[in-house]
Amino acid sequence: MAADRAKPVVLITGASAGIGKALALAWAREGATLVLMARREVELEAVAREVVNLGGQAFTFAGDVTKDATRRALVDFALEKAKRIDVLVNNAGRGFYAPVRSIAVADLEHVFALNVFAPLHLTQLCTDALARTSGTVVMVSSVAGIAVTPTLGAYSASKFALEALSIAMRAELAPSGIHVLVVRPGPVETEFRENALRRDATGPRGDKRQDPAEVAKRTLKAVARHKAVLETSLFVRAASFTARVLPGALRIWNNRQAHREHL
Ligand SMILES: NC(=O)c1ccc[n+]([C@@H]2O[C@H](COP(=O)([O-])OP(=O)(O)OC[C@H]3O[C@@H](n4cnc5c(N)ncnc54)[C@H](OP(=O)(O)O)[C@@H]3O)[C@@H](O)[C@H]2O)c1
């Protein structure tokens, strides 16, 4: 069935859990049509039922976003089912905790395939559709996309790469009427820590985690306002400010942290 033109059509990767699921539910409350993508079919179907109960419409697509053929099939599926795409949310991602000496190139390739190559290619595939709707690309980055700390070098490298691509993309896609929003959450209450790749590192630190529903609410507002960057909490804004304006202070904190953890 074609989507109702008054409501946005939103394609979300990593929609079976965590921030992606929270985004789906927040958009469902606005009556949006969701194209929900992730690997776990049962979880995706459960999210789709919640979307419908909240007043939205949902189509599910189970697959691995790191696969080229899956990404192409996903975009074809979205356009066939919903007829258009107003918002593409590149959310699927994975953490990686390891001191630099323990980073294996194969692990880094795996993390980049999910955190960088998949969002890049999916955005390329959706550009024409997004130009037709003057739509928005949401890149879910991280506080690690602006501030680097010990054992998070590899994860940060992937999010820095995503941020760099987003900066160029924002300028290049603007003439087509496409907006690019980078979202930088700090620690959020999801399965992210359990799902992260770890090599010789216990990380992450700190226990204060943001509610994914709050991240979602702020993201929807930022999309509506065509914001370029959303830092989702005071913690992220403080860390981001320190990294950009007081990099020496962050270096001192990092050196102490590395020393304390015997890295
Ligand atoms: N939670 C945090 O503290 C935090 C902080 C900053 C930034 N972030 C970023 O926020 C985003 C979402 O993370 P989250 O916290 O919601 O993590 P999460 O709870 O682990 O959820 C990750 C989502 O991505 C999906 N996914 C993983 N690999 C996939 C693949 N190969 N193909 C398709 N889908 C895949 C997972 O579903 P399946 O397993 O069903 O595929 C799941 O829906 C990530 O980009 C992450 O880097 C998170």
Side-chain angles (χ1 to χ4, degrees):
M1 190 177 29
D4 173 355
R5 279 209 67 84
K7 318 279 186 186
V9 174
V10 186
L11 193 172
I12 305 177
T13 66
S16 61
I19 295 171
K21 176 180 172 180
L23 286 167
L25 301 185
W27 257 301
R29 284 186 195 95
E30 303 205 337
T33 293
L34 280 308
V35 180
L36 307 169
M37 192 277 180
R39 291 164 304 177
R40 287 172 294 170
E41 201 164 0
V42 173
E43 281 77 359
L44 272 185
E45 291 302 335
V47 176
R49 281 193 296 278
E50 285 193 62
V51 164
V52 171
N53 288 339
L54 289 168
Q57 193 183 359
F59 301 105
T60 59
F61 186 98
D64 182 343
V65 77
T66 65
K67 305 245 184 303
D68 181 284
T70 305
R71 292 188 291 262
R72 292 177 192 278
L74 169 65
V75 176
D76 289 347
F77 173 84
L79 290 174
E80 185 202 320
K81 296 290 184 188
K83 309 296 177 211
R84 65 183 209 276
I85 300 170
D86 296 295
V87 186
L88 164 67
V89 185
N90 286 302
N91 165 74
R94 190 176 186 194
F96 184 3
Y97 300 101
V100 169
R101 66 166 184 278
S102 305
I103 298 170
V105 170
D107 288 342
L108 198 57
E109 281 172 353
H110 163 80
V111 170
F112 266 65
L114 180 60
N115 293 5
V116 185
F117 306 151
L120 168 64
H121 187 218
L122 210 44
T123 305
Q124 290 170 333
L125 291 172
C126 289
T127 300
D128 289 346
L130 289 166
R132 288 195 289 274
T133 58
S134 300
T136 300
V137 180
V138 179
M139 294 292 201
V140 181
S141 177
S142 167
V143 63
I146 195 112
V148 188
T149 51
T151 74
L152 274 172
Y155 178 63
S156 268
S158 74
K159 294 299 188 181
F160 268 58
L162 187 68
E163 296 246 1
L165 289 166
S166 302
I167 291 169
M169 225 177 244
R170 187 177 294 117
E172 291 165 10
L173 297 182
S176 309
I178 301 173
H179 307 277
V180 176
L181 167 67
V182 167
V183 177
R184 290 185 196 133
V188 182
E189 189 65 51
T190 69
E191 299 161 12
F192 177 81
R193 293 179 184 204
E194 292 72 31
N195 293 337
L197 195 61
R198 284 166 209 273
R199 301 282 184 241
D200 303 331
T202 50
R205 313 158 190 91
D207 275 324
K208 204 169 172 336
R209 299 196 233 174
Q210 196 173 15
D211 183 345
E214 193 187 328
V215 174
K217 197 173 129 194
R218 288 175 189 229
T219 301
L220 263 65
K221 236 186 232 173
V223 168
R225 291 176 185 172
H226 293 155
K227 280 190 68 168
V229 176
L230 168 67
E231 297 186 326
T232 68
S233 66
L234 188 59
F235 167 78
V236 178
R237 287 196 290 280
S240 166
F241 177 85
T242 308
R244 286 178 289 112
V245 183
L246 305 165
L250 185 57
R251 272 196 293 275
I252 291 169
W253 189 91
N254 277 345
N255 288 346
R256 286 190 185 147
Q257 198 65 34
H259 184 71
R260 211 173 296 142
E261 295 183 11
H262 309 291
L263 296 172

